[in-house]
Amino acid sequence: MNDTDKCNNTSQLSYQKDGAPYCERFDDIYFDSESGYAQSDLVFIQKNDIKSRLQKVKNTFTIAETGFGTGLNFLLTLQAYQAAQQASNSQLAPLHFISVEKYPLSKAQLIKSLSILPQLQEFAFALTEAYPEDLKQITLNADKQFTTRFLDDKVQLTLIFDDAANGLSSIKSTKKGVVDAWYLDGFSPAKNPDMWSEALFAEIGRLSKEQASLTTFTVAGLVKRQLRKIGFRLEKQLTHGKKKEMFFGIMQSNPLTNKGYQLRPRIIKPQHVTIIGGGIASACAVYALTKQGIKVTLYCKDSTLAQGGSSNAIGALFPLLHQQSDDISAFYQQAFWRARELYDEINDTGFTFEHQWCGLLEVSYKDALVKRQCTFEQLNTWPKELIHGVNAKQATDLANISLPYGGLFMPNAGWVSPPDLVKKIFAAAQATNHLRVFTDTHVTKIKQVASAANNEHTWRLSSNQGEFTADVLVLCAGADSIEIEQLKALPITPTRGQITSMKSNSAINKLATVICHKGYLTPESNGIHCIGATFQKNDTDITTNDADNQYNLTTLAKCLPDLAERINWQTEDISASKARLRCMSQDHLPLVGAVPDISAHKESYSHLAKDKNWKYKQAAPCIDNLYVLLGLGARGLCSAPLAADILAADLCNTPYPMDNNMLFNLSPNRFIVRDIIKRKVNVE
């Protein structure tokens, strides 16, 4: 080391041979000259998704930082704001960047330290020009703060020259918090233990908004425990450069919440999980958990996998979208993109399956649907890459067959072979060496067993193959799960559906996109097309029948008579048919998470019957170590991957992929909470 600045007793700064600034006080570099810029950009800007979030927010976006240091992270944020503004058609909301620094650099030190970062010179010059000459004078002020503005006054920088906890305590906050994103960039607890105090974490918790994100290079156990204590869900991730690991977190389990019934139970990440199922839900759950290093045992009642609803020859993948954004549409939009991402990942890693992302056309074959299409186009709620209107000629071109109607086209939708897909997802999970599959094992009863050793509950499973034990049990068996005693209080019902496979012919074999009308029609695969499907509530007979095949043919003929006449399918053109049960929820959204203790909910949250806004901090009472991923209905191909991500987050204490309101919309306890509020149950 050389060129030590001995005259500054505050920062105790020196410079390495490559010019990298080095902190003598804490015996560590501020940033690596080779990878510091790129690594900080990755960890703080990209991992916090700063650019995208700046383009979406309507009000001031606030970032708080511990350890201003050389100002590198602030300069990267300025750069991100400028890039986001240049990519946006409208003016971005203001940005407020708050940073606390106990040992600030002098202006001369700041200029020299940033001189080795040519990528940031425009912003570095602006910062050093505004930076105070006399730091001592500021530290003598009561608030110890310095404020300045950048980029046409759209970005405000507030520097607080104080201990981190003390400095943050001076920031006023509403009950909903003030900080959208945290950069925890002080030196590690091993180097700088005084900064990482319990008081610091208390301030972080006080100031954080719900869904506030957080990133830090520091992965010490103390930091992990304290951040989880105040409500952050954390995921350790690998990074590149001198520092190899980082934490990413989201404030999603704030113990200060007034809606305790939205809080999901926290468990220690299990080493082993048992899953009952064999279709798309269990496949996605197995894959998500094995990727997290959890060992999984799967029990499937059938002789081979994908014999339930996932056994249909061809299935369409597309989101459920309403004209205006609502909870259902918002979920299925996110679920659709996650499904595409996962299925492409499976296919691209060598576990290929039959599919085509050929798009899907919802045909406007009657006046009501024409009006619906017009409303979609006028409201313009959804991006065109998700859905957009087309006229009859465009529909004909897209479908590659003559159609007299326009419709709504989803260009990124398509079809898959569900049994092929499910088996390949299981194969990808087995490649981790964390999965064991037992077929021909029909679990009919589960019983909770208390462990005398540690006072925790495990499960005893009764099946045709004998009894098994499970530490953590997840039920993913679709309609079969309805018969499990512990789930009978949940409002899930079986709905029968029969699909019909038709032999292709020259009038239809060139069909190039999935067509939806009252039913659906798929492009050709292995010489067949699938049409369907019937919906018969509370019918559990999976024997196929001719009447339902005729219903599927008749529905096609009623909705698209010209096309049906050209195809001219007859009964003898039926290649096969299949009837299976869908597991439907009361509100058409999946159930994923811990199974609620219904009686405890009635007792704990009884006052909601009198005041739906009554404040409860108590977390939702649930049955220990029992989880579900159910209620996927007719859209399991779309919803299963995102639901599996939620399940994995439940079990691994990692961040959820959505906010708390949407998460509660999928929580199995939502029904009992709503029933209490609506006074549908007796809570006396």
Side-chain angles (χ1 to χ4, degrees):
M1 301 176 192
N2 53 39
D3 193 23
T4 305
D5 184 351
K6 297 179 180 178
C7 62
N8 189 298
N9 294 323
T10 304
S11 60
Q12 296 185 7
L13 183 70
S14 68
Y15 299 94
Q16 296 183 310
K17 290 182 179 179
D18 60 0
Y22 192 92
C23 182
E24 297 285 353
R25 181 185 297 276
F26 298 118
D27 191 25
D28 201 357
I29 59 171
Y30 279 99
F31 60 83
D32 180 6
S33 62
E34 293 184 0
S35 62
Y37 168 88
Q39 191 170 47
S40 291
D41 183 69
L42 171 67
V43 171
F44 296 109
I45 307 302
Q46 296 181 41
K47 293 295 185 179
N48 278 296
D49 197 22
I50 297 299
K51 290 181 185 177
S52 175
R53 293 166 72 185
L54 285 172
Q55 291 177 316
K56 295 175 182 177
V57 297
K58 304 300 181 184
N59 300 312
T60 298
F61 189 84
T62 301
I63 297 172
E65 176 187 51
T66 56
F68 186 74
T70 63
L72 172 59
N73 295 334
F74 172 66
L75 299 184
L76 289 169
T77 305
L78 268 183
Q79 185 182 56
Y81 189 94
Q82 184 184 75
Q85 182 61 79
Q86 291 171 347
S88 179
N89 294 324
S90 57
Q91 179 62 55
L92 299 186
L95 168 67
H96 188 191
F97 192 101
I98 304 169
S99 188
V100 183
E101 178 59 68
K102 187 175 183 179
Y103 305 110
L105 275 64
S106 68
K107 187 167 187 171
Q109 290 172 329
L110 197 66
I111 293 171
K112 183 170 183 177
S113 298
L114 295 175
S115 66
I116 63 171
L117 296 174
Q119 312 96 319
L120 293 171
Q121 283 310 294
E122 172 191 352
F123 306 105
F125 178 77
L127 173 62
T128 53
E129 279 290 294
Y131 198 75
E133 296 279 358
D134 188 356
L135 294 175
K136 289 184 178 180
Q137 183 59 45
I138 294 175
T139 58
L140 291 175
N141 295 337
D143 60 6
K144 300 182 180 181
Q145 291 187 14
F146 167 75
T147 299
T148 187
R149 292 181 177 273
F150 302 87
L151 299 181
D152 297 325
D153 290 342
K154 296 298 292 184
V155 178
Q156 177 180 326
L157 170 65
T158 298
L159 290 178
I160 305 174
F161 298 119
D162 200 349
D163 170 79
N166 289 337
L168 293 176
S169 69
S170 67
I171 301 172
K172 294 181 180 179
S173 177
T174 67
K175 292 181 179 179
K176 293 185 177 181
V178 65
V179 176
D180 296 283
W182 288 93
Y183 301 168
L184 300 191
D185 197 28
F187 296 106
S188 70
K191 305 274 188 182
N192 183 16
D194 291 343
M195 189 193 86
W196 301 94
S197 65
E198 190 168 340
L200 169 66
F201 293 103
E203 290 301 324
I204 293 173
R206 178 181 70 88
L207 294 171
S208 294
K209 291 181 180 178
E210 184 180 304
Q211 293 298 118
S213 65
L214 176 150
T215 54
T216 178
F217 284 117
T218 301
V219 293
L222 176 149
V223 174
K224 177 176 69 174
R225 290 188 295 274
Q226 290 290 342
L227 286 174
R228 283 182 171 169
K229 181 179 178 181
I230 62 174
F232 277 89
R233 301 184 69 86
L234 300 174
E235 181 179 10
K236 185 186 289 187
Q237 299 179 355
L238 298 178
T239 183
H240 305 290
K242 182 177 179 181
K243 299 172 182 178
K244 304 298 183 184
E245 295 179 318
M246 61 163 286
F247 272 142
F248 167 73
I250 303 180
M251 173 60 85
Q252 292 174 317
S253 301
N254 192 337
L256 303 179
T257 181
N258 291 322
K259 296 181 179 180
Y261 48 82
Q262 290 190 355
L263 291 177
R264 292 176 168 232
R266 287 191 167 195
I267 66 171
I268 297 173
K269 180 180 177 180
Q271 295 182 335
H272 183 270
V273 170
T274 300
I275 294 180
I276 299 174
I280 188 64
S282 55
C284 291
V286 161
Y287 185 70
L289 294 176
T290 54
K291 283 188 69 177
Q292 290 284 348
I294 295 175
K295 295 181 179 180
V296 178
T297 297
L298 178 94
Y299 295 115
C300 175
K301 75 168 187 176
D302 300 307
S303 58
T304 58
L305 298 168
Q307 293 303 299
S310 297
S311 64
N312 293 334
I314 306 173
L317 172 64
F318 64 107
L320 172 61
L321 299 174
H322 295 150
Q323 296 165 357
Q324 292 183 308
S325 182
D326 55 16
D327 288 343
I328 290 179
S329 300
F331 168 74
Y332 279 106
Q333 176 190 212
Q334 184 180 355
F336 170 73
W337 291 120
R338 176 57 184 136
R340 275 294 313 268
E341 179 184 40
L342 175 64
Y343 300 158
D344 287 341
E345 175 187 324
I346 296 295
N347 193 71
D348 293 345
T349 51
F351 298 95
T352 57
F353 57 92
E354 290 187 45
H355 72 285
Q356 281 187 347
W357 304 140
C358 55
L360 180 143
L361 179 65
E362 290 188 352
V363 182
S364 300
Y365 64 89
K366 60 183 181 180
D367 289 344
L369 293 177
V370 172
K371 292 179 181 178
R372 177 174 178 267
Q373 178 182 341
C374 290
T375 303
F376 257 90
E377 294 170 345
Q378 290 168 0
L379 293 176
N380 197 28
T381 303
W382 308 107
K384 291 189 181 299
E385 61 266 23
L386 188 64
I387 189 170
H388 62 267
V390 295
N391 58 34
K393 182 182 184 307
Q394 292 169 325
T396 293
D397 292 341
L398 290 165
N400 202 32
I401 59 172
S402 179
L403 291 172
Y405 314 107
L408 292 167
F409 185 63
M410 302 183 192
N412 285 287
W415 65 266
V416 303
S417 167
D420 193 15
L421 170 63
V422 167
K423 290 172 182 176
K424 294 303 172 59
I425 296 175
F426 274 116
Q430 284 182 312
T432 66
N433 295 317
H434 291 323
L435 173 63
R436 294 189 304 164
V437 175
F438 295 92
T439 55
D440 290 314
T441 306
H442 188 191
V443 176
T444 56
K445 184 179 179 181
I446 64 174
K447 182 179 180 181
Q448 195 173 56
V449 181
S451 171
N454 53 21
N455 200 32
E456 291 186 355
H457 291 96
T458 58
W459 292 92
R460 181 180 297 127
L461 283 55
S462 299
S463 79
N464 60 321
Q465 301 290 351
E467 292 193 338
F468 308 97
T469 59
D471 295 328
V472 176
L473 179 61
V474 183
L475 303 176
C476 299
D480 288 339
S481 301
I482 296 173
E483 296 306 313
I484 297 294
E485 184 64 32
Q486 289 80 354
L487 303 188
K488 287 187 176 179
L490 298 178
I492 47 179
T493 55
T495 299
R496 181 185 181 277
Q498 182 168 318
I499 62 101
T500 307
S501 296
M502 305 300 300
K503 297 174 185 176
S504 190
N505 61 41
S506 59
I508 193 60
N509 61 3
K510 291 183 173 59
L511 177 63
T513 189
V514 180
I515 291 180
C516 282
H517 43 91
K518 185 178 180 181
Y520 63 87
L521 165 65
T522 70
E524 178 271 335
S525 176
N526 295 317
I528 67 165
H529 304 260
C530 281
I531 61 173
T534 64
F535 260 80
Q536 293 138 316
K537 293 181 180 180
N538 297 311
D539 184 346
T540 58
D541 183 1
I542 60 172
T543 305
T544 57
N545 61 70
D546 294 339
D548 284 353
N549 287 333
Q550 190 58 51
Y551 173 87
N552 289 333
L553 285 167
T554 301
T555 300
L556 176 64
K558 285 183 177 179
C559 298
L560 300 171
D562 293 342
L563 178 60
E565 184 177 352
R566 292 199 307 273
I567 302 172
N568 194 30
W569 273 326
Q570 304 298 319
T571 303
E572 55 266 26
D573 295 313
I574 297 174
S575 172
S577 58
K578 186 169 292 185
R580 291 293 185 265
L581 301 180
R582 312 175 184 92
C583 181
M584 307 292 293
S585 73
Q586 192 178 64
D587 58 6
H588 306 293
L589 286 170
L591 288 75
V592 55
V595 176
D597 183 327
I598 301 297
S599 60
H601 268 72
K602 294 177 183 178
E603 182 179 343
S604 299
Y605 304 128
S606 60
H607 207 82
L608 290 175
K610 299 177 181 178
D611 181 359
K612 67 178 182 180
N613 297 313
W614 192 259
K615 297 176 182 179
Y616 280 108
K617 297 190 180 300
Q618 179 184 343
C622 296
I623 300 175
D624 288 348
N625 298 324
L626 181 63
Y627 293 79
V628 293
L629 200 171
L630 296 171
L632 304 188
R635 297 182 182 271
L637 286 173
C638 183
S639 57
L642 183 57
D645 289 346
I646 296 169
L647 177 69
D650 271 335
L651 299 181
C652 299
N653 282 312
T654 51
Y656 291 112
M658 56 187 56
D659 65 31
N660 286 354
N661 287 333
M662 180 59 73
L663 198 62
F664 182 65
N665 289 338
L666 306 174
S667 179
N669 78 322
R670 67 188 187 265
F671 302 106
I672 181 59
V673 172
R674 292 169 184 171
D675 284 349
I676 293 171
I677 291 173
K678 295 176 181 178
R679 301 180 186 177
K680 289 185 176 182
V681 294
N682 185 5
V683 294
E684 297 300 330

